[in-house]
Amino acid sequence: MNEVIDQIATKAGIAPDLAEKAVGMILGFLQREAPDGPVTKMIESIPGASDLVAQYNGEETSGGGLLGGLLSAVGGGGGLMALGQQLMSSGLSMGEITSLAKETIATARQHAGDEVVDQVVNSVPGLHQFL
């Protein structure tokens, strides 16, 4: 996975260790929000992605700051807003998050193909506007 993370980190302009955590969080979010079939195929197609999801998937349940708490209180986990809050809490700016998300999806397309990735992206409300 290091090669994939290094590629994403370089293109997004962020440190590899931060990229690793953020990519794991993004893929974990997609695993929770998208239909099982396409998202599982996508994650399994990216070398090492399953390990990242296993390592960082739990990040979404820890806190989320005030915004995450408020979103949880008004229903659900907050979706993309909660993910954005968690990523910002990890030290990423909004621009870095957008860049990282685009590079993660581009990498997923390289490994899983456009059709599978489009199914995942189109199934998560609001995701398309960030890509």
Side-chain angles (χ1 to χ4, degrees), residues 63 67-78:
L67 179 61
L70 290 173
L71 290 169
S72 293
V74 295

Side-chain angles (χ1 to χ4, degrees), residues 1-43:
M1 186 69 191
N2 285 343
E3 184 178 312
V4 173
I5 289 297
D6 287 344
Q7 174 187 353
I8 292 171
T10 299
K11 289 182 179 179
I14 63 172
D17 58 332
L18 187 53
E20 178 180 278
K21 180 178 181 179
V23 169
M25 292 169 69
I26 290 168
L27 294 176
F29 168 80
L30 293 174
Q31 185 179 52
R32 289 186 304 279
E33 299 293 325
D36 286 341
V39 77
T40 299
K41 184 174 182 179
M42 183 184 84
I43 291 170

Side-chain angles (χ1 to χ4, degrees), residues 32-70:
R32 289 186 304 279
E33 299 293 325
D36 286 341
V39 77
T40 299
K41 184 174 182 179
M42 183 184 84
I43 291 170
E44 289 176 353
S45 297
I46 304 168
S50 296
D51 292 338
L52 282 183
V53 171
Q55 186 174 355
Y56 297 110
N57 192 22
E59 290 292 324
E60 63 89 26
T61 59
S62 62
L66 179 60
L67 179 61
L70 290 173

